[in-house]
Amino acid sequence: QLHIAESGGRLVQAGDSLRLACTASGYVANGYVTSWFRQAPGKEREFLGGLRWRDDSTYYSDSAPGRFTVSRGNTRTTLFLQMNSLQPEDTATYYCALVSAGVIWPTRTRYNIWGRGTQVTVSS
């Protein structure tokens, strides 16, 4: 079974940009979807956006900031989350999740493989 791990989270200033990476332990086949979620203290884990490896299509939550972009690396092991103009309300633990599916599900319960998360803190 594949394992995934997030990296790139750190303390930044408001207005900064940050790119998070989600790296899989092996090749991610066409039949998989990888998505990004985040969870702020005291809040539910929310879907941000995802990518379907079959055709590189992406889907974003309506509530996801337009400042966030999901993209893949050149190899089939890494997914990125580019975050621009970060604001204090973006402070959260960011998770990536993987599922064998043909649809980019915006629901956390659909995903069965999760990373441990990476902390992003935005100071004002």
Side-chain angles (χ1 to χ4, degrees):
Q1 177 173 306
L2 285 171
H3 300 279
I4 53 178
E6 306 89 344
S7 61
R10 60 183 177 91
L11 172 65
V12 297
Q13 302 273 349
D16 286 351
S17 296
L18 197 61
R19 189 173 77 163
L20 305 182
C22 173
T23 303
S25 57
Y27 179 91
V28 182
N30 280 344
Y32 281 86
V33 164
T34 307
S35 292
W36 285 99
F37 292 75
R38 70 180 180 184
Q39 187 166 16
K43 295 189 176 181
E44 295 288 319
R45 190 170 300 186
E46 64 170 332
F47 171 79
L48 295 173
L51 180 141
R52 185 170 62 187
W53 290 90
R54 182 178 72 200
D55 56 6
D56 291 347
S57 62
T58 55
Y59 172 74
Y60 296 90
S61 165
D62 288 342
S63 61
R67 302 173 280 108
F68 290 9
T69 304
V70 175
S71 64
R72 54 167 286 185
N74 291 330
T75 65
R76 293 185 68 96
T77 59
T78 306
L79 188 75
F80 298 107
L81 178 66
Q82 177 69 42
M83 305 185 292
N84 299 325
S85 300
L86 283 162
Q87 301 300 313
E89 55 265 33
D90 296 319
T91 294
T93 302
Y94 286 72
Y95 298 89
C96 63
L98 184 71
V99 65
S100 176
V103 176
I104 303 172
W105 296 105
T107 310
R108 62 176 291 185
T109 56
R110 290 284 188 171
Y111 294 81
N112 58 334
I113 301 173
W114 289 84
R116 293 187 176 184
T118 186
Q119 178 66 37
V120 173
T121 304
V122 185
S123 66
S124 57

